[in-house]
């Protein structure tokens, strides 16, 4: 799966989870950049991404992510 495809699909998941139709992602996007991105929504996001891409993540993988770019890289490796 190519990076552009990952970002396109990931953006759709983010928009659905955070109920924000105009949410735009960049590799530098962090929890501080998205309204409502707290620990509960983070769990919902990870579950939604797992389902959308058909991949599973370990707690250590998720805990080490610093931004959306690292999340996209991890998805790209697993998908």
């Amino acid at each position: 799966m190519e990076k552009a495809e990952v970002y396109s699909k990931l953006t759709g998941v983010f928009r659905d989870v955070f109920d924000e139709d105009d949410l735009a992602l960049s590799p530098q996007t962090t929890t501080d950049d998205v309204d409502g991105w707290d620990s509960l929504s983070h769990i919902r996001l990870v579950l939604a991404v797992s389902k959308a891409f058909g991949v599973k993540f370990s707690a250590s993988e998720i805990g080490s992510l610093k931004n959306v770019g690292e999340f996209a890289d991890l998805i790209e490796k697993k998908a």
Side-chain angles (χ1 to χ4, degrees):
M1 183 175 281
E2 293 187 24
K3 186 77 75 185
E5 189 178 351
V6 170
Y7 272 96
S8 175
K9 199 168 182 177
L10 195 56
T11 298
V13 173
F14 267 74
R15 287 178 176 172
D16 186 47
V17 168
F18 294 104
D19 197 27
E20 190 174 327
D21 293 338
D22 58 350
L23 181 62
L25 298 178
S26 76
Q28 294 78 30
T29 301
T30 68
T31 58
D32 294 335
D33 301 317
V34 179
D35 287 339
W37 192 346
D38 56 19
S39 58
L40 181 58
S41 62
H42 187 75
I43 292 168
R44 288 186 9 240
L45 176 66
V46 170
L47 292 174
V49 168
S50 293
K51 184 176 180 181
F53 288 90
V55 296
K56 292 186 177 190
F57 305 102
S58 70
S60 64
E61 287 173 329
I62 295 301
S64 67
L65 299 175
K66 294 179 178 64
N67 55 41
V68 169
E70 290 185 6
F71 201 10
D73 290 343
L74 180 61
I75 293 166
E76 191 176 17
K77 282 195 306 190
K78 290 182 170 258

